[in-house]
Amino acid sequence: TCLIDLDDDGQLDLRIRYVLDNEGQSCSGGCPGQLAYPRHVYVDPTPGNQIADSAIAYVNELSSGDAIDGSLLWGADAGQLLIEKVGATCTSWLGGSICASVNPNGDWGLVSPAIGFVGVQFLIDGQIHYGWVRLRVQYSPGGGINLFLLDYAYNSVPGEPILAGESLPTSITRIAQSSIQVSPNPFT
């Protein structure tokens, strides 16, 4: 589980959690090097906050430069699916079982490794702010999921958009004019 406080105000803004279902199940006959139970990564916005999602409660994978603003489809439900990966499925076939790899579900990680952005809409003093969280998803042998929080940022001006990947400019004179806040990964 990764707890994220985008604006460093001591209030949790969202949680990313990894869930391993039915641990220990395996195919009869075996699938060498493959695990037969699914792994899920969910994003849970805290009350009042939302994440950019698709129409079916999948977390929308944004690309660098995508606008994060009120025009996106937003979801406030907990348990929005970032990715689901099943190492193998077991199917009965002519008195035995066969194992087949399954592609991931969700908008993320159709190629591995994948780097993308989660769009975030969250509240500061009751006002909407937009931000992003950059993640890398990589599959390990046997169907595991490796997830890395790379960084995150938000626009400190209420209601103003931010571009995915947008960060502070390097010029000192421009830093004073910037309304973008960038945070490093505090979990490493």
Side-chain angles (χ1 to χ4, degrees), residues 166-179:
E166 185 176 8
S167 61
L168 287 172
T170 56
S171 164
I172 291 182
T173 56
R174 293 198 54 211
I175 289 174
Q177 299 169 356
S178 176
S179 62

Side-chain angles (χ1 to χ4, degrees), residues 13-30:
D13 295 309
L14 67 122
R15 174 178 68 162
I16 301 173
R17 59 190 167 95
Y18 179 89
V19 177
L20 183 62
D21 295 331
N22 302 318
E23 186 170 358
Q25 289 185 0
S26 62
C27 298
S28 61

Side-chain angles (χ1 to χ4, degrees), residues 119-178:
V120 182
Q121 181 185 81
F122 70 109
L123 299 176
I124 299 175
D125 297 326
Q127 295 185 311
I128 291 175
H129 291 260
Y130 297 103
W132 52 260
V133 175
R134 186 167 54 133
L135 301 171
R136 182 178 72 186
V137 175
Q138 185 173 348
Y139 299 125
S140 62
I145 301 171
N146 295 312
L147 182 69
F148 303 91
L149 170 64
L150 301 177
D151 50 6
Y152 49 88
Y154 74 97
N155 191 328
S156 62
V157 177
E160 290 295 314
I162 187 172
L163 300 178
E166 185 176 8
S167 61
L168 287 172
T170 56
S171 164
I172 291 182
T173 56
R174 293 198 54 211
I175 289 174
Q177 299 169 356
S178 176

Side-chain angles (χ1 to χ4, degrees), residues 24-32 34-37 88-100:
Q25 289 185 0
S26 62
C27 298
S28 61
C31 297
Q34 301 245 324
L35 301 174
Y37 41 88
T89 57
C90 305
T91 305
S92 294
W93 183 259
L94 301 175
S97 66
I98 60 170
C99 301

Side-chain angles (χ1 to χ4, degrees), residues 38-92:
R39 297 135 182 95
H40 299 88
V41 178
Y42 296 104
V43 179
D44 305 316
T46 56
N49 300 333
Q50 300 186 61
I51 56 172
D53 70 5
S54 65
I56 53 175
Y58 286 171
V59 177
N60 192 0
E61 180 181 8
L62 301 175
S63 298
S64 181
D66 286 351
I68 301 169
D69 57 23
S71 70
L72 294 175
L73 180 62
W74 295 98
D77 296 335
Q80 294 186 56
L81 183 66
L82 181 81
I83 195 159
E84 173 186 54
K85 180 74 168 116
V86 178
T89 57
C90 305
T91 305
S92 294

Side-chain angles (χ1 to χ4, degrees), residues 5-13 123-124:
D5 176 7
L6 290 165
D7 57 340
D8 202 28
D9 66 352
Q11 300 293 316
L12 176 65
D13 295 309
L123 299 176
I124 299 175

